Amino acid sequence: MKVSVIIPVYNAENCISNCIKNCKNQTFSDFEVIFVDDCSKDKTTEIISEKIKNDDHFRLIQLKKNRRQGYARNIGLEHAKGDYVMFFDVDDDYSLNFIEKMYNKISSDNADMTACKFCLIDEKSGKTTENTDFAMLADYPENFHNGFNYSDITPVIDLFNKSNTIWDKIFRRNFLLENNIKFPTNLFNKEDDVFALRTLFLAKKITILNKVLYFYKINPEKYNSNFQKQAIYDCFLMFDLIRNDLQEYGLLEQFRLDFMKYEIFTLKYYYRMLEQKCHEDFFYKLQNSYKKYEIFSREIKNSDNVLFKLITKVLETKEFSPEIDIFLKNY
C-alpha cells in the first residue's frame, strides 16, 4: 500500500457523498481511505457503509465515544498501512490527481513531507477565490521546492505562519512513527496547527509541489458564537503545546521572539472575532499565558525591545492598539 488517506467525520451527511466520490475518482489506485467516525448522530455512517460496500479502498472505523478530530486522526494513523499518509477534511474538495501528484513528488524526492498549493471556495456561492486568509508553505521560492528544512527559513516567523495546515501535505508514515508525531487530543480546535509544526521542526527534508491541488471551503455562517469562542480559547492551549515542543527540541530560546510575534498576530486576529462580553476573560487568559513562562514575563518587564513594550501595553490596557497593527505589518 502506497498511500493512506485519513478522514475524520462527524455529522457529515450533507457532504460525505461528495467526499467519497472525489476519493473514488482519484487517478491514483494504490491507496486506502480510512474514515473515522466520531459518534455521528445523523446518517453519516449509514451513507458511508452503503457507498463503500465491496470497495477494498475504503474502511470505516466507528469510535464509541466522541473524542474530537485530533483523537480520530490518531486512530486513523494507528490503522494506516500506506507508506505515506494524507489527511483530508470531509467537507473540502481536491483535484482528482491530488493523491497521484503528491505521491509522485514526495517519493521521487525521498522527502519526509511535501506541501502543495491550495485555493479557497466560498461554500455558499461555489466561487473559487485567491487564497488571502492563509499563508502557504508552498509560497516559498523555487530554490526551496526540491528540499529544505526549518533551519533554511528566514525570517523565522514564516515557520509558524506558513506551516499550520495539514490537508495540503503528504507525510512519510515512518517519519511520523519514528518521531512519535501525533495530534493533541485535548483541543476543541487547532490540533492540526500543533501537528503541522511538529512535522516541520522534525522533518529532515521538506519539498514543495508548485500546483494548486486542494480547495478549502469557507463558510463563516456555519460557526456559531460558542464554537468560535471555544476555538479562540484553544489558541492558548495550542501555544502552550507549541512552546513545550520548542523546549523539548531545544529551540525555545532560539525562536522565542518569533514565536511571540506569531502569538500576538494570531491572538489579535481571533480577539476581534469575540463578542465584547468575552474580552475580559480573554485578557485574563492572555496574562496567565505569559506568567507561565518566567523568562518571557521577566524580559517583558525589563527589555527595551519594541515587541516586549507592545506586549506590556496590551496586557496593561487590555487592548490591541493600532501600534500592534503597524508593528506586525512592518515586520
Side-chain angles (χ1 to χ4, degrees), residues 9-15 37-44:
V9 294
Y10 177 73
N11 290 349
E13 64 180 8
N14 293 329
C15 57
D37 179 73
D38 197 19
C39 296
S40 292
K41 298 177 181 179
D42 62 5
K43 296 181 180 179
T44 297

Side-chain angles (χ1 to χ4, degrees), residues 19 22-23 26 88-89 92-96 98 213-215:
C19 175
N22 283 342
C23 291
Q26 286 291 307
F88 293 1
D89 279 358
D92 291 336
D93 284 333
Y94 21 90
S95 299
L96 298 185
F98 183 35
L213 297 173
Y214 199 92
F215 302 90

Side-chain angles (χ1 to χ4, degrees), residues 176-227:
L176 299 178
L177 296 177
E178 289 164 2
N179 289 281
N180 195 31
I181 301 175
K182 296 181 180 179
F183 291 87
T185 58
N186 60 335
L187 296 178
F188 185 81
N189 194 31
K190 312 301 290 180
E191 79 292 334
D192 45 354
D193 297 59
V194 179
F195 182 93
L197 285 167
R198 285 172 177 170
T199 61
L200 180 85
F201 283 112
L202 293 173
K204 294 180 180 178
K205 185 178 182 181
I206 304 166
T207 60
I208 289 172
L209 179 57
N210 191 28
K211 294 182 180 294
V212 175
L213 297 173
Y214 199 92
F215 302 90
Y216 182 82
K217 290 184 178 179
I218 52 174
N219 182 3
E221 293 182 4
K222 72 180 180 181
Y223 299 116
N224 59 42
S225 59
N226 287 333
F227 178 90

